[in-house]
Amino acid sequence: MAQYFDNLDKIVFEGADSTNPLAFKHYNANEKILGKTMAEHLRMAACYWHNFCWNGQDVFGQGTFGRPWLEAGDAMERARQKADVAFEFFSKLGIPYYCFHDIDVAPEGNSIREYINNFAAMTDVLEQKQAETGVKLLWGTANLFSNPRYAAGAATNPDPEVFSYGATQVFHAMNATQRLGGENYVLWGGREGYETLLNTDLRQEREQLGRFMQMVVEHKHKIGFKGMLLIEPKPQEPTKHQYDYDSATVYGFLKQFGLEKEFRVNIEANHATLAGHSFHHEVATAISLGIFGSIDANRGDAQNGWDTDQFPNSVEELSLVMYEILKAGGFSTGGFNFDAKLRRQSVDRYDLFHGHIGGMDHLALALKKAALLIEKDFLGQAVAKRYAGWSAPLGKGIVQGQHSLQSLAELVEQKQLSPQAVSGRQELLENQVNLVLYR
């Protein structure tokens, strides 16, 4: 296939004063921030599904994009054309990683044998494309939600044959991810939940899901996969209530089945807000629980009650998220994957670049702002001062189990303690943060 983006070579960094819409203003891959390059800090990826599998269709209208590789024709030939365009895009954008679902890259076919053969053939193609371009795989996954067989879930399906079919897809997707050097493997339970409790056995479904995840861990160790296993929380849509509601819920699930050392979470900004949380909250919660892994970078629309997957553009929000990540030592195997799609009216092929350039620049600017927050350290100092009492003898003794309710009651009475409220100085801290963000 001829080059699809034939009017463009490669996106380069031109600096904040550039007026070129097809150039980076803040993302300079080799610029050092706190001892690491931007590329090393951000580990950004573009996704296969929104960019190359969606034609602009929605529930009310036909596709608007007119992508030639999505037209009727030989399915495998179209899949190869799609790979050509995808890696042309990744290379010209200069993004170091990509992510995919199994049936994003290969036709599902009409039988399990066709699925296996098609996926194996396209894994060969992806391996060649990676070698030619140097683009790496951040993570792979299996689509266990689109086919009608998964209407009632995959791992939580009432039919064990559906469970088994889903397991087969994960088996092949994990093997392909390992072969392609993927640094993580993601499980998104898009339909692992319920529509109504009238026909649902919650205990049964949780047990099935727990066993499925245990099987994933067993296979990881069997094949020697060195990457991280990630679960992506989401509260609702498509199902009414999903078992991976948010980071805290996922942690409770992992503890129940003894999996808390084997999995981390892949947090999506838009999923966080659908759960009634901020993106910042979900990242901070995952870090505090020791299960932070990776991020799907996007944003939602506060006026819509569903997952709109727009490109991230709030530097303020991203800076606070980046601050938490930097404090925790940064990513290990994870990164920022743009799980974001164009608006249906953005029909120019180069809009794909505009969306990603903006997202990459916004993350780069947020990185620089978060680094200033780390260097100035006024937030860290304020938190340390606020909790200083827990480093003193009384606080240490409580945490270390040296006190009971009775001993504390006796101590308070003996010393006639009368603690008073101390200001949290929230407004002052907000002002100080804004002085960093907007200067």
Side-chain angles (χ1 to χ4, degrees):
M1 187 176 186
Q3 287 197 343
Y4 186 66
F5 304 104
D6 51 2
N7 292 332
L8 183 67
D9 282 328
K10 187 165 184 176
I11 306 301
V12 297
F13 171 73
E14 294 185 2
D17 294 330
S18 172
T19 59
N20 179 5
L22 290 170
F24 294 121
K25 314 303 187 297
H26 296 284
Y27 179 62
N28 182 0
N30 296 317
E31 180 180 347
K32 287 284 188 75
I33 305 286
L34 299 180
K36 293 165 63 175
T37 66
M38 280 192 175
E40 291 170 331
H41 275 296
L42 298 172
R43 295 170 57 83
M44 291 187 285
C47 75
Y48 225 90
W49 51 99
H50 289 319
N51 294 322
F52 308 108
C53 301
W54 183 49
N55 66 358
Q57 179 180 354
D58 66 16
V59 295
F60 300 108
Q62 300 175 0
T64 58
F65 294 155
R67 310 298 193 208
W69 58 90
L70 297 179
E71 296 173 359
D74 179 86
M76 283 299 291
E77 182 58 31
R78 291 302 192 216
R80 293 186 184 95
Q81 291 175 346
K82 187 195 303 181
D84 287 339
V85 175
F87 279 85
E88 180 194 352
F89 175 76
F90 302 148
S91 298
K92 289 184 173 179
L93 182 62
I95 202 162
Y97 291 97
Y98 76 109
C99 302
F100 70 83
H101 298 83
D102 51 354
I103 63 171
D104 294 341
V105 298
E108 190 170 6
N110 297 311
S111 67
I112 191 61
R113 177 53 55 193
E114 286 188 18
Y115 164 83
I116 292 170
N117 290 340
N118 291 345
F119 192 27
M122 286 308 301
T123 300
D124 291 342
V125 172
L126 296 179
E127 187 174 50
Q128 179 181 354
K129 291 290 185 183
Q130 289 183 203
E132 291 172 353
T133 63
V135 177
K136 296 178 288 185
L137 179 62
L138 187 65
W139 52 258
T141 188
N143 180 325
L144 306 185
F145 49 88
S146 291
N147 192 288
R149 74 172 62 90
Y150 297 126
T156 59
N157 198 286
D159 184 349
E161 291 189 2
V162 175
F163 181 106
S164 301
Y165 202 103
T168 302
Q169 283 188 241
V170 171
F171 171 84
H172 289 284
M174 288 184 71
N175 292 348
T177 298
Q178 182 189 37
R179 178 179 163 190
L180 295 171
E183 300 188 22
N184 308 270
Y185 184 84
V186 171
L187 296 110
W188 178 56
R191 298 191 188 275
E192 310 297 9
Y194 64 82
E195 297 288 354
T196 175
L197 289 172
L198 298 179
N199 61 7
T200 301
D201 185 332
L202 290 175
R203 183 183 297 276
Q204 172 70 27
E205 292 197 359
R206 286 180 63 86
E207 290 291 334
Q208 290 175 208
L209 185 57
R211 180 59 193 136
F212 195 95
M213 296 304 179
Q214 289 169 346
M215 292 165 66
V216 169
V217 171
E218 291 164 5
H219 188 62
K220 169 188 173 175
H221 294 302
K222 181 177 181 180
I223 65 176
F225 179 57
K226 302 303 182 184
M228 180 58 63
L229 297 175
L230 303 174
I231 293 177
E232 182 167 332
K234 187 178 184 182
Q236 56 200 11
E237 193 233 50
T239 54
K240 176 181 177 180
H241 180 94
Q242 292 176 206
Y243 299 127
D244 51 1
Y245 191 89
D246 59 10
S247 293
T249 303
V250 169
Y251 183 73
F253 169 85
L254 294 175
K255 289 286 287 186
Q256 178 184 355
F257 293 98
L259 297 168
E260 68 274 15
K261 302 298 184 184
E262 298 285 357
F263 284 91
R264 296 181 185 176
V265 287
N266 182 56
I267 296 169
E268 179 175 319
N270 206 169
H271 294 178
T273 52
L274 286 173
H277 305 309
S278 68
F279 183 23
H280 188 190
H281 165 90
E282 277 292 89
V283 171
T285 297
I287 289 171
S288 72
L289 294 171
I291 58 169
F292 175 70
S294 195
I295 284 178
D296 272 8
N298 59 22
R299 78 181 196 275
D301 186 327
Q303 294 174 308
N304 286 339
W306 61 87
D307 195 358
T308 57
D309 287 330
Q310 295 170 248
F311 282 92
N313 65 1
S314 172
V315 174
E316 177 180 1
E317 177 182 56
L318 294 171
S319 296
L320 294 177
V321 166
M322 193 71 68
Y323 172 72
E324 299 293 339
I325 296 172
L326 291 178
K327 280 197 306 176
F331 290 111
S332 55
T333 60
F336 282 101
N337 168 52
F338 289 107
D339 185 0
K341 62 185 178 184
L342 297 177
R343 298 303 88 193
R344 191 165 173 264
Q345 298 177 52
S346 298
V347 297
D348 188 286
R349 67 186 67 183
Y350 294 95
D351 287 330
L352 282 171
F353 284 95
H354 294 306
H356 285 82
I357 289 168
M360 294 168 77
D361 267 344
H362 297 142
L363 283 175
L365 183 54
L367 172 62
K368 291 188 279 190
K369 296 298 184 180
L372 288 175
L373 292 175
I374 293 287
E375 291 170 342
K376 292 178 180 296
D377 197 35
F378 58 84
L379 292 176
Q381 292 173 19
V383 170
K385 183 177 180 180
R386 191 177 187 211
Y387 291 89
W390 291 95
S391 298
L394 175 60
K396 283 185 176 180
I398 293 172
V399 173
Q400 294 170 358
Q402 298 170 9
H403 283 287
S404 64
L405 288 178
Q406 180 177 341
S407 70
L408 287 176
E410 292 172 351
L411 182 147
V412 169
E413 184 177 357
Q414 176 188 351
K415 294 192 173 183
Q416 290 294 296
L417 296 183
S418 181
Q420 304 298 309
V422 177
S423 175
R425 297 189 171 185
Q426 178 176 333
E427 293 76 12
L428 171 63
L429 295 176
E430 289 171 342
N431 292 346
Q432 291 176 326
V433 167
N434 280 344
L435 285 175
V436 172
L437 295 182
Y438 298 106
R439 176 176 291 176

